[in-house]
Amino acid sequence: MTLTEALSAHAAQTRYADLPREVTDVAVGLIRDSIGVAIAGAAHPSSQRLRGLADYWGVSSESRIWGTSRRSSAPVAAMTVAHQMHCFEFDCIHEPAVVHPLTVVLPSLIAAIERDSGGVSLTGRDLITAAVVGVDVAAGIGDVVTTPLQFFRPGTAGIFGAICAIGNALRLPERTISNAIGIGYGQVSGTMQPHVEGSDLLPLQVGFNARNALVAVDLAVAGQEGPRHTFEGPYGYYRLIEAGGTPDKLEASLGRMWEVTRVSYKPFPSGRATHAAIDGMLRLRRSGVDPSTIDRIVCRVPPMIHQLVNRPLEPSQTPGAARLNLAFLAASAILDGRVDLSTTALDRLSDPTVHELARKVEILIDDNPNPNAFDPQTFEIHAAGRVESVTVDYSLGSPGHSLDPDEQIAKFQSCVEFGTDWESGRIEALAAVLSDLANEPSLDTMLSML
């Protein structure tokens, strides 16, 4: 059996009854969080530009663009919503895999359900099951990589998760899902260059993969065939997109390790690689450090963190670059006591007080041997002749240091408030439906509220 066949079987055969209660409870919270983040993203200028093209690209009204009154073809809606979900860097993440596992999966899945359910009203449990399968695949593919990040993995792994999620929800045959995976591989996209530059292309790349997942499924349903050895072949994923991996390990874990339980919430709208530093700075600020007395801030971080967010502080940085700049965000956390959606607003990006403190931040590589590690990280503030330090073992929002239910709901509500002009009653009603998703006999109510 190839990994493609194993993933297809997992997608075709998994049912809600197979999922432990812990798994479904976690999935419900993450689905709610992801929808809230995507609605916040509707306010992003790049999202507004993308919606302006929606009618040009897709004249049909098959699927909703969340947080707006707009509809488009399912592939265009999936692309637009996935972009919205990632554009503020607020979407949940599977740290071991370095994958945002629902950002491609959920927009593609819901767009496909709206378009292709064939009049059959799917239930909340159907959505939960398909999302869990999608996370298993997207995160599982990244989790067994044995070499450092090369391509933008949230996109390149996410497309396969989306295909398998759609296959599960629509009850597609294993062979059709297998062909769709192979066809999807021909459309995989995601370079790290926009990450380096903080370009608006970064969230578009998850959008491209969300769109391409639907295209791949459509082609497979129409009878097109894809390659069988998508992952292990001489030009397969673990040789071309990643420099090495252990697909046998992923195959063995399917149906045994539910990857959704290893996914982290993001309490701050910034690259996950900055979260430990923000958390550390907020802890040190609460301990009584006076920002005006700081001489140095020393951050000791694993190699991947250094690679991703150790960036020069440009006077004219973009919001996207600022969300991935550890020094800028650490300084903002110390000065403001928070990092939120206003931190990277245009009027804050060149604040001289933030820049002055950010120039005092030193980011050093520690001796962590894991090329994909996020934690632990250690931070020191040298101020007024003394040194205060803190070690962050698990970034806030991770399974080892999770947000509590009230914090999860507060994040959802603030995201929807940011992205829309909806009244509080409408926001609370959507939160209630999403929180009780396992008991929804039909998805029609939820979909009508997006």
Side-chain angles (χ1 to χ4, degrees):
M1 179 179 287
T2 67
L3 180 58
T4 296
E5 292 165 339
L7 296 176
S8 302
H10 183 60
Q13 297 170 17
T14 301
R15 297 292 179 263
Y16 186 84
D18 300 322
L19 307 180
R21 177 64 182 270
E22 175 197 6
V23 171
T24 60
D25 286 350
V26 170
V28 166
L30 291 168
I31 289 169
R32 181 185 60 217
D33 181 79
S34 299
I35 288 173
V37 168
I39 292 174
H44 193 284
S46 184
S47 297
Q48 295 167 3
R49 290 191 292 270
L50 192 55
R51 289 197 300 275
L53 290 166
D55 292 339
Y56 179 75
W57 282 335
V59 294
S60 70
S61 57
E62 296 167 333
S63 303
R64 291 166 175 81
I65 298 176
W66 308 350
T68 78
S69 60
R70 304 290 291 275
R71 301 178 69 100
S72 189
S73 67
V76 171
M79 176 176 67
T80 305
V81 172
H83 171 276
Q84 289 180 189
M85 198 179 291
H86 192 60
C87 63
F88 281 119
E89 286 278 359
F90 217 178
D91 42 337
C92 63
I93 184 168
H94 188 290
E95 290 183 14
V98 199
V99 169
H100 299 270
L102 283 167
T103 308
V104 176
V105 167
L106 201 59
S108 300
L109 172 62
I110 290 179
I113 286 172
E114 284 198 273
R115 184 189 69 174
D116 295 331
S117 57
V120 177
S121 183
L122 300 183
T123 69
R125 294 185 177 189
D126 293 327
L127 178 61
I128 293 167
T129 307
V132 167
V133 166
V135 172
D136 273 350
V137 174
I141 286 169
D143 190 41
V144 299
V145 173
T146 55
T147 51
L149 198 67
Q150 291 193 139
F151 286 80
F152 188 56
R153 199 176 292 153
T156 63
I159 187 173
F160 302 113
I163 288 167
C164 289
I166 294 168
N168 177 272
L170 301 184
R171 303 292 196 264
L172 299 180
E174 289 182 30
R175 182 60 182 159
T176 301
I177 299 171
S178 179
N179 281 326
I181 288 172
I183 295 167
Y185 184 49
Q187 302 176 82
V188 162
S189 67
T191 167
M192 287 297 290
Q193 191 58 39
H195 194 284
V196 170
E197 297 184 22
S199 163
D200 282 345
L201 177 60
L202 193 65
L204 280 171
Q205 292 186 147
V206 292
F208 298 157
N209 285 282
R211 175 198 62 198
N212 293 347
L214 277 158
V215 172
V217 170
D218 289 348
L219 288 167
V221 168
Q224 294 286 0
E225 295 188 352
R228 293 182 60 245
H229 298 277
T230 294
F231 298 95
E232 312 93 333
Y235 298 99
Y237 186 90
Y238 288 112
R239 297 195 182 196
L240 186 64
I241 304 300
E242 304 286 359
T246 53
D248 290 348
K249 181 180 176 183
L250 172 55
E251 183 178 339
S253 74
L254 293 171
R256 298 177 178 86
M257 169 65 75
W258 302 102
E259 296 295 342
V260 74
T261 63
R262 305 171 70 200
V263 175
S264 299
Y265 287 86
K266 292 180 76 175
F268 312 115
S270 63
R272 183 59 171 174
T274 69
H275 277 215
I278 295 169
D279 186 15
M281 293 303 107
L282 293 176
R283 292 191 205 181
L284 291 169
R285 187 181 192 274
R286 289 192 293 268
S287 72
V289 170
D290 180 354
S292 67
T293 66
I294 293 175
D295 299 313
R296 296 170 63 208
I297 299 173
V298 180
C299 308
R300 303 184 191 280
V301 304
M304 186 182 68
I305 304 301
H306 191 272
Q307 172 194 347
L308 294 178
V309 293
N310 179 32
R311 297 162 181 257
L313 190 63
E314 303 291 346
S316 58
Q317 65 180 340
T318 65
R323 284 189 283 270
L324 297 166
N325 190 307
L326 188 151
F328 176 82
L329 294 166
S332 296
I334 283 286
L335 291 168
D336 300 335
R338 69 181 190 281
V339 168
D340 57 23
L341 288 165
S342 69
T343 299
T344 53
L346 290 174
D347 60 349
R348 289 282 291 155
L349 296 180
S350 58
D351 187 314
T353 306
V354 178
H355 280 245
E356 180 182 1
L357 184 56
R359 285 191 287 270
K360 298 178 181 180
V361 176
E362 302 174 28
I363 306 170
L364 308 177
I365 300 175
D366 65 16
D367 57 359
N368 195 316
N370 182 350
N372 293 310
F374 278 80
D375 305 308
Q377 300 181 39
T378 299
F379 307 97
E380 302 170 357
I381 290 183
H382 298 247
R386 61 193 183 96
V387 179
E388 298 285 348
S389 68
V390 64
T391 295
V392 177
D393 292 314
Y394 301 100
S395 292
L396 182 61
S398 67
H401 189 191
S402 189
L403 301 183
D404 66 38
D406 288 343
E407 290 172 322
Q408 294 171 20
I409 291 291
K411 177 187 171 184
F412 174 84
Q413 292 177 330
S414 67
C415 281
V416 179
E417 289 169 0
F418 183 87
T420 71
D421 59 0
W422 295 356
E423 295 180 353
S424 60
R426 179 177 178 180
I427 298 171
E428 291 168 3
L430 177 57
V433 168
L434 292 171
S435 299
D436 197 36
L437 193 57
N439 295 313
E440 285 292 314
S442 166
L443 291 175
D444 294 344
T445 299
M446 184 204 81
L447 293 173
S448 70
M449 299 173 77
L450 297 180

